[in-house]
Amino acid sequence: MSQILEEVLSANQNYAETFGDKGKLPLPPARKFAVLTCMDARLDPAKFAGLTEGDAHVIRNAGGRASDDAIRSLVISYKLLGTREWFIIHHTDCGMETFTDEIIRGLLEKSLETAKIDETGWHDIGSGPGSSEAYFIDWLTIGEQSKSVYEDVKRVRFHPLVPKNIPIYGYLYDVKTGKLIEIPQATEIGKVQ
């Protein structure tokens, strides 16, 4: 058993011992909203949005991007579980800004091993085999944060399965201060229509 596995199982044991009434929480989120944000370990949506178990849906992926799967989750959140407001929150200093689709595809084509970054960019340190399957994925890399928040809010707002009566807010989380910074043009396009 790895040390990480041991630590996780031990932490879970401690958590389960004080779980209390959380097993009685209803399936729909109590505060009726959903957050789409990045998987970055520096972000704790429960803390920056004041959440406890049962409050809201939190959907996380690389960059907090409005991928097809993220939109699928948001639609289910609304249609079947009653959320009424959505937040799309990207963040400063995001790893998705450090590469392009071409870079990740090239790295994966050479090797499936972990790559490294230095002052000259990303480098593959593994040896093959790689895979050309990377060319079939839209990696949704980020060139400029406020623009990507706007693009994602717009993509969600005009998706044919998203109702026009749900407000969608666009924000950027500052990893240096912990503050949420509104992207006004994103929130504007996300207004109820």
Side-chain angles (χ1 to χ4, degrees), residues 16-30:
E17 288 172 4
T18 61
F19 197 65
D21 288 340
K22 292 175 188 161
K24 297 177 184 174
L25 288 170
L27 183 60

Side-chain angles (χ1 to χ4, degrees), residues 33 35 41 85 96 120 126 135 146 155 158 169:
F33 73 91
V35 175
E85 297 178 65
M96 295 296 288
T120 63
Y135 288 88
S146 60
R155 183 166 192 246
F158 294 108
Y169 311 109

